[in-house]
Structures are given as C-alpha cells and as structure tokens.
Amino acid sequence: MAETLNRLCCYLIRDDFGPIVEQVAKVLLQKGRLTLPVIAKLSKFTLTKTRECLFILIQHNLVYWADARESQKIGIYYSIEIDEILARLNFGIYIKNANEWIESRHASELVKYILLNGKVTFGGLVEDQKINKKSSRYKDIKETFSKMIEKKYILSVDFTDSKSARDKASEAEQRELAKVTNFIPTKKQMAEAKAKLAANLDSEDTAIGSKRRLNLENLDRPTKQQKGEITIDDNQYFRVNYEKFNVKERNKRFAKFVRDRINRSAGTIIKYILDIADCDKASEVESCSISLYRILKIIPESKDELFGQQMKTEKGKTVTRESLIKQYLDHLIDDDANILCKRDENMGGMYFVRYNALCESLKQQVFENIILEKFGTKGARILKVLHTKQKLDEKAITAFTLMSVTDVRQKLIELLNAGFAQVQEVPRSGDRAPSRTFFFWYVDYNKCYEIILNNYYRTLANIHQVRFEQESGAARLLDKKEKEDALKQLNSNTFIQLLTENETKALSDLEFILTQLDTAQLRMVQDVMLFKNFK
Amino acid sequence: MEVTEEELTVHKIILEQGQIFVDEIKIHELIEYELPDTPWEQLQIILESLHSFGLVRKRQTHDERVLYQARTKEIAKKLQNLDEREFEIYELIENSERKGIAKSEIQKQSKIVQSIVESSLKSMQDQQLIKEVKPKNKKLYMLFDIKPVDESLSRLLYNNGEVDTIVVEALKTLCYNFIFHRSFPKDLDEDGIYHPGYTGYATLEKILQCIHESNLITDCEAQESDIQQLVDVLIYEGKVVRIFSGVIPDSDAMNIMDTNQESHVMYMARKPRAVSNAWTPTPCGRCPYFKEECTEDGEISPSNCVFYPQWLNRGISMIHEVNKSKGKGKNVMDW
C-alpha cells in the first residue's frame, strides 16, 4: 500500500509541478522528516533550488515545517503530507460542482484560482485577475468570496498553519508540561497534561465549531444585515477547505444512490433533506433532526407532479401533498439501506440521516458490484452468502447457493487469491491432519475495502504512467503545437499553420486519449473518496 | 412354527411406534392395556421369538438395555428366505440407514468373500429389499424404501446428490420474473413505486402456485421449501429483497399466538440498474497481471501495457463513429 501511495504521490506532483519538484517530494516521501541540507544532498540539487522547490510545496499546503532546538542551533525540519497530495485528485470534482454547491456563478472560477495558487489573499486575487474595483464583477466576486468564507468553503490560514497538526499538538504538550515542572516530567504528569489538552481541544470544537472560526471573527467582517457593504481583509490568506467539499460530494453521491435505488423523486427528497442538515465535517455520524414541516417547506411545489407520477397510492384515499411526501419518507425509512431514520413522532415526525450507516451500505453496493464484474454472479452469490451467514464450509455454501461443488471450489479459490475470501482452519484432532480438519470460509468486508482502495490507487498510478507515456511519445507533436499557438498569439489574425493535416488528426486523437484517461481517473476518484474519506 | 396371537399383538404395538427403537421396559408398559398381567419373562420370550422371525430389529445400548424396532410383515416374510450370510449383509445395510454403505465396507465389516457379497446383494436387489444409489459416482447400498440423505434435500433441485443447475436456473428466472412483475405499478411512470404498506407483492404461496400452473415440472412436485431456497438465492444475488408486512400484533391483545395475525414475508424485486463502480471498466480492473506481475518498471508495466492502447483506440474509433453520425461535436465525457 505505502509503495503504491508513494508512487501515486510522485506522479501527482510531477503532473502538477514538474519533475524537479517531484525529486524533492520523493525524498521527503521516502525518508520522512528532514532538514534542508539533507534534502538537498539526497535530491542532488543545490540549496537554493531545493529551497525553491520546498517553497512551492509549502505554498500549496503539501509540506509542513517545524523548528526543533538541537543543543545550540535551531534546525528546521520539513515533512510532506500524503493526504494533502491525494486531495489534489479531487480538485476536478470541487471545481465542477462549486457553482452548484455555493450557489453562485463565480464560485467555480474562484475555487479554481485558489486551488491553482494554494493560498491566496483577496487583494492578490483582485490584482491578479485585473478586476476593476468599480465594476459589477468585483461586487459579485466579493459577495461570492464572503459567502465562501461564511459557509466555510475556504478557511483562513496564518503563519502557524504551516506547522503540521502533530507538531502543534506536541508543542502544546511541551508548554503544558513546562507549567507543571521544570524537571523531567513523570509518567503521571505527562498523562495529566495530555488529558488536559484533549479536554481543551474537545470543548473548543464544540463551543465554536472550529478553531479557525475565531480568526474569522478577528477579520472585523460585518454581516450583510448590519451594512450593505461587505469588507474582507485584503491581506488575509485563504485556502480551500477540502473537508467541506468532500461532505458536499458525499451528499451528492447519497442522492444519486437513492435515485438509482428507488427513483428520481426519492433522490430529490433526500437531496433536500441533506441540504437542510448541511453538515460540515465528514466525521459526523448523524445529522440533526428535521421535522416533517421543514422538509415540506423546502421542497419546491414544482416537484409535486413528479412525485405524484411515481407513487402508486392506496385506492380510495385522498392524496394531499403532505401525505404524498410522508409516504416517500416512510418508503425511505423502510428501505434496508438505512437511508433515513425517524426519531420521534412530534411535529409530524422528526427525521434524521445516519451518515455512516448509509455510507456503509453504499460502500457495500460498490464492492459487491466490483465482485459481480470480476467474478460473475456466482462469485457475488458466494460472497453474499458468506457475508450474511458468516463462517461456512464448502458443503454448506453449496447448499445455500445451489451451485455444484466444483463451481463453488473454483470461485472460492479465485476469491481467496484476490484476497477477498479467507479460510479458518478448525482441526478435529491434535495432529492437525488436513483430512480431519474443518475449513471454514469467511469474508471481512472492511479488509476487502482496504484491498479495493489499494487497487484503486494502483490503477490511478498506472493511468498516470500511461498518460506520461502517451505525452512523451507525442512530445514532438506537442512542441510543434505550442510553437504554432505562440506564433498565432504573437501575430494575431494571421493565418499560420505549422501542423500538417495528419499531425492535426494525430493531435486530436491524442487529446481524446488524454480526455479518456482523465475521465477514467475522475470516475475512480469518486469511488476513492467513498472508500477513503467517508466514514 | 407359526407366529402366535400374542406375539402378533406385541409386534403391532411396536410397529405403531413408527420407525424408532423402543425400550423393552416401555414395551412392557405399552402392552399392559392389550395383554394385562404379562410377566417380564414372558415378554422376553415373545420378543426373542419375534426377533427370530425377523419381525423386529434388536439393538443393545451401552448400558445393557435392549431396544426393539418393528419391521413390516412383508419384509419379514422376504427375510425368511435369506440365508445366514445374506441376513448378515442385510443387517449391515439396515444399520447404515440413510447414509448407505459401500460394497467394500460390507466386505470389511462382515468378512465375507467378495463373490458371495456380490451375489447376495444382487439377489436382495431382485427381491426389492435393498437398492443401489450413486451419489458422486460411488455405489452405495441402502434399504429399498429409504430416501437417501442427499436426495432428502430436495428431489426437484438435486439429481443424484448434485445440484441440477439447469433446473435451478430455469426456475430461478421464472421466480424472478414473477416477483419483478408484481414489484412495480404498471400504469405509472417507469420509475413508479408502490406506497409503503402495500401488500400485493409476491409471496411464497403465489410463486409456488405460478410454478404449478406453468406446468414446467412434470415428474415431481415442487415444494414450498424448494421455492424458498430459490428465492434465497435470488436474495443473495441482490436481485430481490425480502420485506415484512401485515398486522403488527397488539401488545395487549390476546391473539398474539394467532398465526393469521402475524406479519408475513413478501418479496420485492430490485431495479436492475444497480450501483456501478469505476474500477472494473478500466483495463486494470480486468487485467490478469494487475496484482503481482505488473510493476512500475518491470517486464510487464503500464508503459508497455498492451491493454491500454487497445482500450484507448476503441474509444477513438467509437468517437469517430459518433462524430460521423451526429456531425462534429465536442468530445466531452460524462463522469
């Protein structure tokens, strides 16, 4: 797993920042925390070059640094975050959906700009995009930007955020210990300090939602109600909050799942429910309770016709809008995929979503689909039997699946080789002779998910490698194309053609190949998000 | 020597107990009504005589009690004609019960020469005392009127102890279609569903009735348990889900035990367009070398992969065809 991840991370960095930065990142990925001179030595670059590479990586939130005192001098250590690199895979999804999620037509553009630059200030953005401060576009962008801050799509960052969370924690611990004693602390003192810090962190989280929100208050940003004018600190740096986008993507995936499983109406309803719940963190287990009336209020009446068409109601009963939607909600509760849950009957019923349970059923569906595609119906049947009945021997599997013994044996071996099925031996006698041993087969879905995730990463790395291969194969063609574009830009309106007809065709084919690879990658990234980020 | 009236009565009483071994003390109690005041010694003599006529089987337990099981008169009559060795073999086969016993095992246990075993088996088969069954190509012998243990699963779905996949697949399709047609309302949008609490979905009885009416099965009767097994397989395949419906029993009502009031099981089909995954459509998802042989710079690697160019070229030729039929368009793919 680690090897595959390192390979994928290197490819991602090569793709975004080129081979030189990749070399530096590779050293950090392989060796862990290092100081600048060591990195330079290992990557065989000069100090300045290495520093510049590190600067790029820090700007894009990929590298963290921390200072550590070693006797007389202070050493600065750099470390790379694999999760931050992997998050770069999701950028396509963020940019594509930003407009819809943030409900503003400039959002995609802004998100793209921020992602391209890693961290930005609003002032820098305005200057860079050459936006006239008096134009209406400036007003729109400012509004969108403040909306993104308010809804936590972007977070403010400061000097201390370049330290990794682990470093911050250990520093806080040191400070806490220094308060207690100035000698070597005992085990008990250390445990106390840790407990105190953990308690602090918890209360902080619940009280103000997130630590960074405090910084936002400092921005002296009056809300719209107070004044028509919105002010944003021009020099405050912001970065994209991946978690918020991930949660949005998860909700989208849920709605799609329900739409495919039941129908469009049910998908629409669950989408609105998830919108009301509007959770910020992927770690949340349950949504808040939502009353029936709130659901009724938010669903636009234009959808009623669709709902009516897709639900066969009981004969002889008058159908109102309320009863119709309530029936859909009941259907969602009845479904065995844990889509919706009901907490209470007051206010017409309080509904909530169990994120992790729903996520689990979605994962299960995707995984079973993979098994179906790879091992056929027979493989899927065996897997499901093993999942529902737990440990079984060959004979019992044959009886449950109604398959011949040879088929069952073959499929089980295939599943075992792929790592999905496992065998438990139970010897009947002390000598553990195979003839007197029970062999029980079983599957552990969580283990399977890990294997699947690793397969996904490997495939992503392979796709990157294929793309580099394709690009380097057509390097001459691409160079020529670049030249042509440059010439065209220099002398506009002149008819310049460097490429022959065949070359144009080859170029369009190459373009399509790259689109195909990118599409496959983006489709996979959605599944990777499901297995990795959604709990 | 004839069987006496008393002996026949005792035999009848043991026979009424069915195919089980009965303790002699219990027999003594049972005959109290028909033959009062029979002393214990008298009963022993009667049972011994019944055993010599072949009308009962005798078995001794480890704690020295003797158990008896009755044989029918017809079989006893046939047994009278067997010689000593044949009778020994018969008892071995009888004791193997539903599992059956192989010829080699008979030889080993009875220590009789192979030729005699074979001829005895042959003659007993002719008399319809025993029969030959062949689960998995191994000849086994068991009593003529006994159902072999493997076949006891289901006569419909199993053939000689092996699953009859053709029958299973055919019936499965029939069941699925039946369930599918009752799962979605017809007069609505294609995505239509029934309201919660709807009770018209397919039940086991209805599926069984449909199979009976289809006249697909001629040589034996479809049992409810067979259909249950088939529907379970459909559930494992993810094509069908089980739903519970009906009256939820009142907690304070007295009729909780009333079976008619209990909720019953119904089956609903899932829509065929299930959740898809993104991995298997790519060449890596179906590559036989993906897991071990393919490495970054090995003999087999993504750089010299033969599957990717094939896959990419197929995409290109497809897009050319689309462009031809629809005119030039933008090559955008949905994800």
Side-chain angles (χ1 to χ4, degrees):
Chain A
M1 183 102 177
E3 202 186 321
T4 319
L5 271 180
N6 277 1
R7 185 176 148 215
L8 177 61
C9 289
C10 285
Y11 286 160
L12 283 172
I13 290 181
R14 192 197 302 177
D15 202 17
D16 288 348
F17 308 110
I20 297 171
V21 182
E22 184 201 351
Q23 191 63 31
V24 172
K26 199 172 180 177
V27 170
L28 283 172
L29 280 168
Q30 282 173 346
K31 310 274 174 189
R33 236 168 133 97
L34 292 175
T35 53
L36 180 64
V38 185
I39 301 172
K41 195 182 164 199
L42 288 170
S43 59
K44 300 189 184 92
F45 291 144
T46 57
L47 272 180
T48 2
K49 203 169 183 184
T50 316
R51 194 179 287 127
E52 276 164 9
C53 289
L54 283 174
F55 173 75
I56 292 172
L57 291 170
I58 292 174
Q59 169 72 20
H60 285 273
N61 315 308
L62 302 176
V63 163
Y64 289 108
W65 56 265
D67 41 5
R69 186 179 288 276
E70 281 168 9
S71 59
Q72 291 301 309
K73 56 184 180 182
I74 295 173
I76 297 181
Y77 282 85
Y78 298 90
S79 63
I80 200 159
E81 273 307 284
I82 290 191
D83 284 343
E84 290 277 349
I85 304 175
L86 291 176
R88 301 188 76 80
L89 281 167
N90 309 340
F91 284 1
I93 297 168
Y94 301 162
I95 296 170
K96 187 189 176 192
N97 295 307
N99 272 354
E100 189 190 325
W101 291 339
I102 303 169
E103 290 163 353
S104 156
R105 65 198 161 94
H106 294 295
S108 280
E109 197 186 318
L110 281 177
V111 170
K112 191 176 167 188
Y113 180 81
I114 300 171
L115 288 175
L116 268 178
N117 291 286
K119 316 179 184 46
V120 294
T121 60
F122 185 67
L125 166 85
V126 172
E127 208 171 293
D128 207 31
Q129 298 275 302
K130 299 193 182 75
I131 300 165
N132 186 350
K133 286 203 175 184
K134 279 167 189 154
S135 65
S136 65
R137 186 173 142 78
Y138 175 78
K139 211 177 145 197
D140 281 354
I141 284 189
K142 197 166 184 184
E143 204 175 302
T144 313
F145 204 86
S146 54
K147 200 168 175 183
M148 277 160 65
I149 298 171
E150 201 179 349
K151 294 251 167 117
K152 286 193 230 162
Y153 285 99
I154 50 177
L155 294 173
S156 68
V157 281
D158 56 23
F159 183 69
T160 57
D161 283 317
S162 302
K163 277 182 189 169
S164 74
R166 222 173 302 134
D167 280 321
K168 275 189 209 162
S170 82
E171 256 174 36
E173 201 181 306
Q174 289 299 328
R175 269 203 304 275
E176 200 65 32
L177 281 175
K179 275 184 216 162
V180 184
T181 170
N182 44 16
F183 193 59
I184 301 169
T186 61
K187 221 170 187 181
K188 198 180 161 195
Q189 282 170 330
M190 275 168 85
E192 269 172 12
K194 265 186 192 167
K196 203 172 168 187
L197 278 173
N200 272 352
L201 211 68
D202 277 353
S203 62
E204 219 170 294
D205 254 10
T206 43
I208 43 174
S210 107
K211 201 175 168 189
R212 296 212 174 92
R213 197 157 168 184
L214 258 184
N215 295 338
L216 294 185
E217 311 294 344
N218 298 342
L219 290 177
D220 66 319
R221 173 177 54 83
T223 48
K224 274 183 242 169
Q225 291 95 316
Q226 287 174 332
K227 262 190 253 173
E229 194 74 6
I230 321 151
T231 55
I232 302 170
D233 185 351
D234 277 357
N235 297 319
Q236 175 68 44
Y237 275 95
F238 290 96
R239 60 167 294 189
V240 171
N241 182 7
Y242 301 145
E243 197 174 5
K244 176 81 187 178
F245 278 95
N246 285 351
V247 168
K248 277 283 176 189
E249 169 64 20
R250 180 188 69 183
N251 291 355
K252 196 182 157 203
R253 186 87 200 237
F254 283 164
K256 187 172 174 291
F257 171 56
V258 173
R259 197 180 69 211
D260 286 348
R261 194 177 170 89
I262 301 170
N263 61 19
R264 286 204 306 285
S265 317
T268 315
I269 290 176
I270 205 79
K271 182 174 169 281
Y272 282 113
I273 293 176
L274 288 169
D275 275 352
I276 303 174
D278 193 33
C279 111
D280 281 335
K281 286 192 176 164
S283 54
E284 265 177 49
V285 179
E286 275 179 19
S287 73
C288 54
S289 306
I290 300 154
S291 73
L292 174 68
Y293 294 107
R294 204 155 156 217
I295 298 171
L296 283 175
K297 219 168 119 188
I298 199 155
I299 294 174
E301 298 201 355
S302 56
K303 300 270 182 200
D304 287 0
E305 199 184 335
L306 178 73
F307 293 167
Q309 272 170 5
Q310 295 192 333
M311 171 75 83
K312 176 101 176 161
T313 42
E314 254 174 290
K315 266 182 197 160
K317 271 199 178 174
T318 47
V319 183
T320 57
R321 180 182 144 83
E322 186 184 327
S323 75
L324 191 64
I325 289 176
K326 202 164 174 350
Q327 279 185 4
Y328 271 111
L329 292 174
D330 284 344
H331 198 100
L332 288 171
I333 290 170
D334 283 346
D335 198 284
D336 50 6
N338 297 315
I339 298 172
L340 195 66
C341 305
K342 200 171 189 176
R343 182 165 283 150
D344 210 341
E345 282 295 344
N346 62 345
M347 317 258 291
M350 297 297 278
Y351 297 87
F352 69 101
V353 182
R354 265 203 204 110
Y355 294 123
N356 58 348
L358 183 49
C359 218
E360 190 55 41
S361 10
L362 184 52
K363 275 183 199 171
Q364 208 169 314
Q365 297 284 327
V366 173
F367 172 57
E368 277 163 14
N369 185 256
I370 290 176
I371 295 296
L372 182 74
E373 295 269 324
K374 275 205 80 90
F375 303 96
T377 5
K378 286 181 176 168
R381 218 190 279 173
I382 292 179
L383 189 92
K384 201 76 197 281
V385 168
L386 286 177
H387 181 59
T388 35
K389 307 264 177 195
Q390 311 282 317
K391 291 191 174 66
L392 291 177
D393 71 342
E394 233 167 57
K395 219 170 174 182
I397 300 174
T398 327
F400 282 124
T401 52
L402 289 178
M403 281 160 59
S404 66
V405 187
T406 42
D407 275 357
V408 169
R409 205 166 289 161
Q410 192 196 337
K411 287 289 168 199
L412 280 173
I413 295 297
E414 278 177 29
L415 284 168
L416 177 74
N417 284 342
F420 298 125
Q422 258 113 56
V423 193
Q424 170 71 55
E425 295 170 20
V426 180
R428 265 187 287 184
S429 55
D431 59 356
R432 308 180 81 89
S435 57
R436 282 187 298 277
T437 303
F438 292 113
F439 290 97
F440 291 114
W441 294 85
Y442 67 99
V443 286
D444 180 352
Y445 268 30
N446 286 330
K447 227 179 217 166
C448 295
Y449 296 158
E450 267 172 39
I451 295 170
I452 292 285
L453 189 61
N454 192 25
N455 284 353
Y456 272 114
Y457 281 138
R458 225 190 153 104
T459 312
L460 282 171
N462 286 355
I463 287 181
H464 267 93
Q465 203 179 332
V466 171
R467 198 173 54 189
F468 290 141
E469 202 62 31
Q470 293 280 352
E471 278 173 350
S472 66
R476 198 188 58 85
L477 207 63
L478 288 172
D479 271 357
K480 213 169 170 186
K481 164 91 177 141
E482 239 169 62
K483 249 183 228 165
E484 190 189 89
D485 286 348
L487 279 175
K488 272 185 184 169
Q489 225 170 33
L490 275 178
N491 342 325
S492 50
N493 294 330
T494 43
F495 186 75
I496 296 166
Q497 202 166 14
L498 285 180
L499 297 163
T500 62
E501 200 170 311
N502 272 344
E503 281 172 335
T504 325
K505 194 172 168 290
L507 203 67
S508 82
D509 278 357
L510 178 73
E511 243 168 46
F512 183 70
I513 284 176
L514 297 184
T515 325
Q516 224 173 325
L517 289 170
D518 282 344
T519 312
Q521 182 185 323
L522 279 163
R523 278 184 193 152
M524 269 202 296
V525 165
Q526 286 171 326
D527 279 3
V528 169
M529 274 176 107
L530 173 69
F531 284 109
K532 179 172 180 288
N533 300 61
F534 307 163
K535 292 279 149 50
Chain B
M1 211 170 103
E2 283 288 305
V3 185
T4 61
E5 201 60 31
E6 271 184 337
E7 284 167 357
L8 273 181
T9 325
V10 174
H11 176 251
K12 202 179 130 206
I13 289 168
I14 304 175
L15 196 61
E16 277 168 3
Q17 300 300 311
Q19 292 284 321
I20 50 162
F21 280 93
V22 191
D23 198 313
E24 50 187 348
I25 301 164
K26 197 174 178 200
I27 297 171
H28 196 216
E29 281 167 20
L30 286 168
I31 60 169
E32 193 66 21
Y33 183 69
E34 299 264 343
L35 301 165
D37 302 330
T38 316
W40 179 252
E41 291 77 23
Q42 175 84 18
L43 177 68
Q44 291 295 326
I45 297 166
I46 293 172
L47 287 172
E48 204 51 52
S49 145
L50 279 174
H51 186 242
S52 69
F53 280 115
L55 278 164
V56 289
R57 287 168 72 185
K58 194 172 163 184
R59 181 181 279 180
Q60 208 152 6
T61 60
H62 55 89
D63 55 349
E64 310 262 304
R65 285 182 305 137
V66 186
L67 309 175
Y68 293 94
Q69 183 186 4
R71 294 195 185 104
T72 59
K73 277 182 196 165
E74 293 79 36
I75 288 175
K77 213 178 217 170
K78 284 179 192 170
L79 289 179
Q80 289 289 308
N81 302 327
L82 301 180
D83 63 29
E84 207 178 300
R85 281 168 180 164
E86 281 177 334
F87 189 69
E88 200 183 330
I89 295 171
Y90 179 83
E91 280 199 316
L92 274 177
I93 295 173
E94 192 176 42
N95 286 336
S96 75
E97 296 188 339
R98 282 170 60 185
K99 276 189 215 146
I101 184 165
K103 198 160 55 185
S104 54
E105 198 63 20
I106 298 175
Q107 275 175 40
K108 216 161 105 189
Q109 287 188 16
S110 61
K111 299 197 177 78
I112 301 174
V113 195
Q114 187 183 4
S115 58
I116 300 176
V117 171
E118 273 173 14
S119 64
S120 318
L121 286 172
K122 186 99 195 2
S123 82
M124 283 195 285
Q125 260 173 281
D126 291 342
Q127 292 177 54
Q128 299 201 328
L129 272 170
I130 57 167
K131 69 177 172 187
E132 213 181 89
V133 281
K134 286 187 222 163
K136 297 151 204 164
N137 307 325
K138 194 170 135 199
K139 255 188 213 175
L140 293 177
Y141 293 91
M142 60 181 68
L143 294 194
F144 190 77
D145 49 356
I146 273 184
K147 235 179 162 186
V149 86
D150 278 353
E151 274 182 35
S152 67
L153 287 168
S154 154
R155 283 185 57 210
L156 178 67
L157 307 177
Y158 286 80
N159 190 3
N160 273 341
E162 284 272 321
V163 180
D164 194 338
T165 34
I166 299 168
V167 175
V168 168
E169 289 305 315
L171 285 177
K172 222 176 70 195
T173 320
L174 186 71
C175 290
Y176 179 65
N177 286 344
F178 184 83
I179 297 171
F180 189 86
H181 283 294
R182 275 148 197 81
S183 298
F184 306 107
K186 290 199 182 63
D187 46 350
L188 292 177
D189 185 295
E190 52 164 352
D191 259 0
I193 47 170
Y194 284 113
H195 61 86
Y198 174 74
T199 51
Y201 297 112
T203 59
L204 218 50
E205 296 89 58
K206 283 189 206 161
I207 301 170
L208 189 64
Q209 199 186 348
C210 157
I211 286 174
H212 281 312
E213 280 166 13
S214 69
N215 286 330
L216 259 179
I217 306 154
T218 47
D219 53 345
C220 60
E221 188 91 336
Q223 304 283 323
E224 205 170 278
S225 60
D226 301 338
I227 308 304
Q228 178 77 59
Q229 255 186 314
L230 284 171
V231 177
D232 281 348
V233 170
L234 283 170
I235 293 173
Y236 294 136
E237 284 182 7
K239 288 179 176 171
V240 166
V241 280
R242 191 188 279 126
I243 38 179
F244 300 94
S245 153
V247 188
I248 300 158
D250 272 337
S251 54
D252 50 15
M254 292 300 286
N255 56 4
I256 297 172
M257 299 301 285
D258 190 352
T259 45
N260 290 335
Q261 292 288 311
E262 254 178 47
S263 61
H264 59 280
V265 180
M266 297 184 300
Y267 298 96
M268 189 180 90
R270 278 254 154 267
K271 284 186 181 142
R273 56 181 159 98
V275 181
S276 60
N277 77 85
W279 181 50
T280 46
T282 61
C284 282
R286 11 186 106 200
C287 178
Y289 309 108
F290 176 74
K291 208 179 162 203
E292 268 148 31
E293 290 89 344
C294 182
T295 47
E296 190 178 358
D297 41 13
E299 204 168 318
I300 299 176
S301 86
S303 305
N304 57 22
C305 179
V306 287
F307 299 117
Y308 267 99
Q310 279 176 19
W311 182 62
L312 294 167
N313 289 334
R314 206 167 331 129
I316 290 177
S317 54
M318 257 167 63
I319 206 79
H320 283 320
E321 262 169 47
V322 172
N323 280 351
K324 247 181 230 167
S325 60
K326 276 189 183 169
K328 276 266 170 194
K330 229 184 164 189
N331 301 338
V332 179
M333 296 175 91
D334 184 36
W335 46 274

